[in-house]
Every structure is written in structure tokens, then in C-alpha cells.
Amino acid sequence: MRLLLIEDEQRLADNIAAALRESGFAVDHAADGEAGSHLAEQDIYDVVILDLMLPVKSGQAVLRDLRLRKLRTPVLILTAQEGKESVVELLNNGADDYLAKPFDLGELIARVKALIRRSKGVASSVLRVGGVEVDTVRQVVTRHGTEIDLSPTEFRILEYLAHKPKAIVSKQELLEHLYDYDWEHHSNVIEAHVSNLRRKLSLADTESLIETLRHRGYRLRESTF
């Protein structure tokens, strides 16, 4: 999953981005509201984490413009502002969640994961498809109770596909959501990761869990056994 962090405090932004990347997210960072707004309007992010007190363009204006453009990307607000009225106003203006500074990074990551699940219509942190269980919190994958050892990239590919089990996911969509702005540099290796993932998930005498549709992308089969 790919996140956009719009935060002008460099040290805080570095800490947040490091924690999110350690949890398996790709993270782009913008240090002011105008740059953040430009990136957010590309509509390629799974969650936007938005500070309110930003230079050039305020967080409120970024949120307002996103919703005026009918973009549905979940937005988690980071706020130092106090008072019930400001929180109510933010939620009424299209924010999906908020955290008051200072906050625990573990709580931030848990809230981001909850927003992703909610935006994709999934209630549980464990995704189930084709006999495979993907625990998005523990980052553990099992098939028929047997744990499967995946690399971090293989896990992220499977997690993204499992959120959209009936959808065809193009190679570009996978790249955009798995990597940060540098995603084009990874375009030649995605097939190798998918191939390894397909092999690790395979069972004898069954179709592969991951279906390749020529020139279109990849799709998870919901029943392969």
C-alpha cells in the first residue's frame, strides 16, 4: 500500500515515514500543503496522512480541495489543535480519522491499516481467498494452516491482490501502490516477484492462485482447490 504523508516538521516526518516503511508501506512525503495537494490529486494513494499547520497551503485547504474534486482517498488528520469543535469540523469536511499530537506511532499505523480495510470494504484484518489467509497485522500468510514464508515484497503484492480478489490489477497499478515515487525503477522486477509468489502458494494438481491475464494484469482466483 502507498501512503502520502504531508507534514512540514522534517524530524517528525522522517520518524513517521521510517515507521510506516518498516511496516511495509511505500511512503511519499510532501513538506508543504501545495506540493501535498498536487500529489494527493493524482489519486494513487491508499491513505493520505495530513498535518493541518502547513506552509503555503493549510491542511484544511488540502482536504477541502480533495473532496471538491470528488476524490475518496481516506484522510487521517494530524492535529495539534485542541477542542471538540475543530474535530467535528474536520470530520464534517471529509476527514476520515484524526490523531492529536503527540501520538504513538503504533496507534498511527493501526489507524492507517483500519482506514485501508474500511475503504476496501473489509472488516477483518485477516483476508481470506482461495484457501489462503493473509494476516495484515502480523504479516503472516497461511494456506490450509501451513505458514508460507514470503519476502516483504511478495507479501505486499499478495496483500494488495487479496484486497481486490475479483478485480484485475494491472502491473502499473501494482507498481504505483507498492512503491513510492521511484516506482518506475522497479517495473522490470515485478514479474519475478509474482512468479516467486505464485510458486510459493502453489499446490499440487491445482490451478495457480494468481491468474495472469495477458496485457491486462493479475487476478486472484477465489477457489483453486
Side-chain angles (χ1 to χ4, degrees), residues 3-173:
L3 312 179
L4 173 61
L5 171 63
I6 310 176
E7 168 62 65
D8 65 320
E9 294 181 46
Q10 191 61 49
R11 179 177 293 184
L12 178 60
D14 289 345
N15 289 339
I16 293 173
L20 290 169
R21 288 178 179 129
E22 195 171 318
S23 293
F25 294 103
V27 183
D28 290 338
H29 171 232
D32 66 67
E34 186 169 290
S37 192
H38 175 71
L39 289 172
E41 287 169 8
Q42 294 181 34
D43 198 21
I44 56 174
Y45 296 100
D46 296 288
V47 170
V48 172
I49 301 170
L50 176 64
D51 185 31
L52 288 184
M53 306 294 285
L54 293 168
V56 187
K57 183 176 182 179
S58 71
Q60 291 92 336
V62 174
L63 176 62
R64 179 200 63 210
D65 289 351
L66 269 179
R67 296 315 182 215
L68 283 174
R69 290 175 179 271
K70 309 296 184 187
L71 296 175
R72 298 181 179 180
T73 310
V75 175
L76 188 155
I77 298 289
L78 302 180
T79 175
Q81 295 182 358
E82 296 179 352
K84 186 178 179 181
E85 286 186 2
S86 63
V87 171
V88 171
E89 185 179 354
L90 288 168
L91 295 174
N92 284 339
N93 288 336
D96 297 273
D97 199 358
Y98 74 97
L99 264 179
K101 296 179 180 177
F103 52 83
D104 179 80
L105 284 172
E107 182 178 357
L108 171 67
I109 292 168
R111 286 176 182 264
V112 166
K113 289 182 177 179
L115 284 176
I116 290 173
R117 289 199 302 271
R118 209 177 303 154
S119 69
K120 299 184 183 304
V122 178
S124 170
S125 61
V126 179
L127 310 174
R128 296 178 175 84
V129 58
V132 171
E133 289 192 353
V134 183
D135 188 326
T136 61
V137 173
R138 296 171 55 231
Q139 298 194 358
V140 171
V141 173
T142 58
R143 188 164 196 183
H144 302 311
T146 301
E147 188 168 325
I148 299 170
D149 183 26
L150 300 182
S151 72
T153 301
E154 291 161 3
F155 179 87
R156 291 165 63 201
I157 291 172
L158 179 61
E159 180 186 17
Y160 190 82
L161 293 174
H163 273 297
K164 310 175 78 170
K166 295 181 181 178
I168 299 171
V169 178
S170 71
K171 176 182 171 182
Q172 179 167 333
E173 180 180 345

